[in-house]
Structure formats: C-alpha cells, structure tokens
Amino acid sequence: MNIRRPRRIRHGVIATLLLLQVTSLTAPAAAAAPSRREAIPAPSSTKWSRQDLKTKVDALVQPVMDSGYAVGYAIGLIQGKETLILGYGRTAKDSGRTPDGRTLFQVGSITKTFVGVQLADLARRNIVRVDDPIGMYLPEFVSVPEWGERKITLLDLATHRSGLPGLPADFLSSPSTTTLGGEYTMTQLLKWLSSYRLTRAPGERFEYSNVGIAILGHIVGNIQGKTWEQSCLDTICTPLGMKDTRTVLTPEQQSRLARGHRADLDPVPLEEIGVMGPGGSLISSVEDLSIYVRAHLALIDTPLRTAMDIAMAGHASAEPIGEMGLCWIRLIRPDTNVVFYVGDTFGYLAAVIFDLQKKTGVIVLGNQDSTVNQDLAFQLWALMDGRQVEPLKLRKAADVAADSLIPYTGTYLVERSDDQRKESTDKTATVALYGEGLKVLLPGQFRARLFRESEDRFFLKGVSDAVATVAFIRDDKGRVGAMSIFYNGQTRVLKKLR
C-alpha cells in the first residue's frame, strides 16, 4: 500500500517525496513501475534445475545485499508444480536469523488482490454484479458522488477508475504511533465520501485509489455480514490452507515476523493500516503466497478457480501499466500473459509476478521499503523467462568523516509553487548530520536520508530505476550556498539561508 504518515514517506519512492516537497510535480501512487514493461522478455521454454536456478538467483540477490540496500529477503520461484524457496540476509538488522518460507512480512497492496478475488467470488455466485452502483451496498446516510447520470460501480473501485483520489483529504490528519490514519473511522470515511465532489466521470481514466479499494473491501465484507478481514479468511485463506495470511497474528506468528526497515535500513515498528486495511494490511509468507499463486495458475484444485479467472481477466485499461483485472494488473503485450502486483508499506515491499501461459511465478518479500525490491523481482521474473540478466547497478556510499559533512548542514529555502504563493510564511528544509551521512527534513516533517557519493554529491538509497541525486552548490568563495535536487529529469535549487 503506497501511503504513509504525513511526517514520513507518503507515496512509495523516497526520491519522489523529495521532489514533491520542493516542486509542484505530482507523482501518483503506483501499483508498480510502468517502466518494467520495457524489461518483459518474450516467452521461452527455459526451465532451470533447482541448483542452477539458485546459483543464478544468488548472483542477482547477493550484490544487493553487499551494497547495503537490503536487510533480508524471502523469495519464491515457481516452475509448474515445483517451488524453490530461498532466503537471504536477516529478519532484522540485529538478528542472526535468515528469512525462510515461513517468515512473515507485511505485503502491502498485494492485499488488494485478495479483495478482487472476493468480489469476483460474489459475482460468480450471483450475489452481486460488478457493474452494480456502490450505493446499493452502503448505508442510507451515504450520498455517493455522481457525475451526471454516471454512478460509481463496484467495477470502478476494483479497477481504480472511480474518480476518487488516493486518500481522503482528512485521512492523514489524525496522528498515531501505531496506526496509519490514527483513529480515522469507517463513519468518517463514509462522511468524507458523501462530501466528495468528482472532477470527472467514473470510468473515464485510471487513477490509483487506496480509498476506493478500502470502500470496496468493506462493501465485500458487509454484504456477507462480516468484516473484510473475516471475509478474506473465510473466502480465500482457510479454503486454500493459507494459515499464516492475516492481519492479526498469534504470539507464535509474531515470533516469525520480520522487522520492517526504511529504505535507508533504519528499523521501524509494524504499522497497522486502520480503516484502509483492505488496501494493504495483510501479513503473509512466501509459503502461503506460493499457494495463492499456484491457485491462480490452476496448479491447485480450488472452488475459487472461476473467481480467480474473473479477477485476472482484463476489465479496463490501466495505461501505461497494462490492463486492470479486479485489482490485479495484466501486462499489455501480445507475447506474454503476465499478471502482477507490487505492494509496499512502512518498512516492507512485496512483489508477485506470474505467467498464466508458462505456469511460472516469482514472489519477493523484503523487510525494507525500497524500490530495489521491485527491481529485483522483475529481474528474477526475466531470469525465469530465460533472459540473460545482469545484477542491478547500485550506487555505494563513500567513506567520509562526519566533520567533512558539516558544511552541508543548515536551513534551505523551499521555493513555493504558484499554488503556494498565497501562503504567508516561507517553507524551509533542514539538512543535518545523521549516522554515516546526512538527513534532509522537508516541510511537513518528511525525512529522507542522503549518502555521499563524491564531493558535494549525494544519493538516496532505495531508488535504482531513476536518477535521484542531491548536489550541493558552492559560491565563488568555496562555501556551500545552495542545494540542487535532481530527480527524473527535473531539477530544483534551494538557496541556503544559514
């Protein structure tokens, strides 16, 4: 689930946050990076032996571990009826345990696919029609926004085409140390929905919406007289024997939970998702998700077969990513039949990719919130498809003495966008010493950690699929006078005040 507290990261990629705070650039919360489409190989008949496959996976994963971009991984590789599970690193920075198939991770937006399967199962049983208006299943006091005669349907929610935003405007205003959104309740969510005014017709275009999936999840549960979590357990997890997939853990399961970490590998506590639970709160393991994927690949006999087929079918466009199923994403390529989803929460990132035609799949669970996990997952999938894959090229931090970083510390002026110029006070960013590098604190208490690459040049760990660089600019006397933030081809310069 690509959402964060206001004082932390909000939309998944750390560098996107950095640019968002100093420009008017808008970066949508994405289920997965569209750029991955360029890396999709054509189908092949390659099937590795278990040892050969492990050797090739080791060659891709170990450089990530050695570069300091990851704490630990549990990885599942499916080739027909065979599943290879591998573990790397540690379950926590201070732990000596290596993740395995039963290690638990929060899986973020992979949770959404469970909501999609539940909806498909209700449709299969003729309890709902996916084109039913959502108002049919909400309390009478809720006035669902409309666009003329066009109503928001269950399908609109499941395909991120409802016209609803990523999150309610007031969702992140209720602070809590353990729950995202604080004490935000379902009643508040439904009142927000009643007050929201659409800016376009539902179904007009794709826009990733966590709040839309949250509403859909609660509808799915309410139709059956259950919470969405209980519906998920009864419909999917229990029938498939996925005993470790849930939101509330037993003490024994708690002992197998990997500790989450930021992209800079600082440890963080497990964060409950609260009312947005259907969008990202499930905890699972590679063993359980292997069952889930094999069921989708028709490698396991299950009454959910038809529901899963409905969920994976292309129901709407999600350009430029692909087609939307019911919460699953299908790649748009004539030579492949791939379904996938990626999810991240505060401390974890998970990826599930599988090929319906070749009966292969990749599951990557990492206990660090880093886009490197996503890159690695698509590398592994390309490997499974027979492509020659090189290890990720990751930047390494230079060894520096803390006192050499002092000239960069200070307060920098954030230039306001046109929409912000009506604000009465200037906003500033603060650069301070932090561990082996620097941290930058941006307006709204967002924080990103910087690592020195060379003199006056720094980078953000956890970003490998785009250039994300912070460079400090010196004046004619050699003093640091400004900070330049470059991300995805755009640059902003912040003047140093003191």
Side-chain angles (χ1 to χ4, degrees):
M1 185 174 189
N2 303 313
I3 55 179
R4 300 288 186 273
R5 295 176 180 280
R7 66 178 183 274
R8 295 173 180 164
I9 312 304
R10 184 172 177 182
H11 281 304
V13 180
I14 298 177
T16 301
L17 161 71
L18 197 59
L19 192 63
L20 277 170
Q21 294 302 304
V22 297
T23 73
S24 58
L25 178 68
T26 300
S35 62
R36 295 300 171 277
R37 294 174 64 200
E38 301 303 319
I40 302 304
S44 76
S45 58
T46 301
K47 183 173 182 179
W48 306 104
S49 71
R50 293 174 71 88
Q51 185 55 51
D52 285 347
L53 184 56
K54 180 182 183 305
T55 299
K56 291 180 180 295
V57 173
D58 288 349
L60 295 176
V61 177
Q62 202 56 51
V64 178
M65 303 300 304
D66 294 343
S67 297
Y69 278 77
V71 176
Y73 290 114
I75 294 173
L77 304 164
I78 297 170
Q79 296 186 109
K81 295 183 178 181
E82 296 183 10
T83 301
L84 175 64
I85 296 178
L86 302 171
Y88 298 88
R90 294 168 289 176
T91 57
K93 284 181 69 176
D94 58 355
S95 170
R97 288 194 299 138
T98 299
D100 59 28
R102 299 183 69 239
T103 302
L104 299 177
F105 299 77
Q106 199 167 45
V107 299
S109 285
I110 306 298
T111 305
K112 292 178 172 68
T113 70
F114 286 74
V115 176
V117 172
Q118 291 173 74
L119 173 62
D121 188 59
L122 291 175
R124 177 191 67 83
R125 293 187 281 148
N126 296 317
I127 295 175
V128 304
R129 293 172 56 92
V130 294
D131 57 359
D132 285 342
I134 65 173
M136 293 175 56
Y137 305 106
L138 292 172
E140 291 185 1
F141 75 82
V142 180
S143 176
V144 180
E146 301 177 3
W147 186 269
E149 298 298 315
R150 181 62 162 86
K151 301 178 186 294
I152 298 174
T153 67
L154 298 173
L155 182 63
D156 292 328
L157 295 181
T159 57
H160 297 280
R161 301 176 70 86
S162 64
L164 297 177
L167 290 172
D170 59 343
F171 176 70
L172 292 169
S173 63
S174 179
S176 169
T177 58
T178 60
T179 305
L180 186 61
E183 304 304 320
Y184 200 86
T185 65
M186 193 63 195
T187 299
Q188 287 176 278
L189 177 58
L190 295 177
K191 286 182 177 179
W192 167 84
L193 179 64
S194 296
S195 66
Y196 187 74
R197 297 295 175 262
L198 295 173
T199 60
R200 64 180 181 278
E204 183 175 303
R205 66 179 174 85
F206 174 87
E207 181 182 0
Y208 198 81
S209 176
N210 283 304
V211 66
I213 299 299
I215 294 169
L216 177 61
H218 290 295
I219 286 175
V220 164
N222 289 340
I223 287 172
Q224 302 171 87
K226 306 173 183 179
T227 64
W228 82 267
E229 297 99 326
Q230 192 60 51
S231 171
C232 181
L233 293 175
D234 293 346
T235 303
I236 302 172
C237 300
T238 299
L240 289 178
M242 299 171 62
K243 298 179 181 179
D244 281 333
T245 301
R246 56 198 64 245
T247 60
V248 179
L249 303 181
T250 66
E252 187 278 329
Q253 289 169 327
Q254 283 280 357
S255 71
R256 292 187 278 119
L257 177 67
R259 178 78 179 270
H261 300 79
R262 289 165 47 95
D264 58 19
L265 306 191
D266 281 354
V268 293
L270 178 70
E271 195 161 37
E272 299 173 16
I273 308 300
V275 73
M276 294 293 165
S281 64
L282 278 180
I283 296 167
S284 190
S285 67
V286 165
E287 283 192 2
D288 268 17
L289 290 179
S290 294
I291 296 172
Y292 187 58
V293 171
R294 295 204 309 274
H296 279 79
L297 292 173
L299 297 171
I300 294 176
D301 291 331
T302 170
L304 291 170
R305 170 78 273 124
T306 300
M308 289 179 168
D309 287 342
I310 294 171
M312 292 185 293
H315 292 278
S317 172
E319 282 284 10
I321 303 171
E323 292 181 325
M324 282 303 305
L326 300 183
C327 302
W328 280 111
I329 300 176
R330 296 176 66 107
L331 291 174
I332 299 178
R333 287 285 296 256
D335 56 358
T336 191
N337 198 8
V338 173
V339 178
F340 74 99
Y341 222 86
V342 175
D344 71 302
T345 56
F346 192 58
Y348 303 87
L349 193 144
V352 173
I353 311 166
F354 53 94
D355 190 314
L356 297 172
Q357 177 180 333
K358 297 181 60 181
K359 307 298 184 184
T360 57
V362 172
I363 301 159
V364 175
L365 302 183
N367 58 337
Q368 57 283 323
D369 179 11
S370 167
T371 58
V372 170
N373 299 9
Q374 176 177 298
D375 297 343
L376 179 62
F378 278 87
Q379 274 200 318
L380 293 174
W381 184 82
L383 174 68
M384 293 283 286
D385 246 26
R387 173 169 288 198
Q388 191 71 28
V389 184
E390 297 296 326
L392 292 171
K393 293 179 171 58
L394 302 172
R395 288 184 268 187
K396 294 184 179 181
D399 293 329
V400 294
D403 57 1
S404 70
L405 300 175
I406 293 175
Y408 306 113
T409 62
T411 302
Y412 294 77
L413 177 65
V414 176
E415 182 181 354
R416 288 174 288 173
S417 66
D418 291 338
D419 292 338
Q420 296 169 328
R421 295 194 187 284
K422 60 184 179 181
E423 298 178 11
S424 59
T425 58
D426 289 329
K427 292 185 177 181
T428 59
T430 302
V431 176
L433 295 175
Y434 187 80
E436 63 205 76
L438 298 170
K439 66 178 177 181
V440 56
L441 301 174
L442 298 165
Q445 295 186 344
F446 289 95
R447 183 187 81 179
R449 190 170 176 182
L450 306 180
F451 294 84
R452 193 174 189 174
E453 184 173 29
S454 60
E455 185 174 7
D456 295 342
R457 290 179 64 84
F458 293 74
F459 68 95
L460 293 85
K461 281 191 176 181
V463 181
S464 65
D465 58 352
V467 176
T469 301
V470 174
F472 291 90
I473 302 169
R474 297 180 183 270
D475 59 24
D476 54 7
K477 295 183 178 179
R479 297 174 300 192
V480 175
M483 174 172 59
S484 172
I485 298 174
F486 176 78
Y487 176 71
N488 238 11
Q490 297 193 34
T491 302
R492 279 294 194 202
V493 176
L494 285 64
K495 181 180 178 182
K496 189 175 184 181
L497 299 179
R498 59 184 183 273

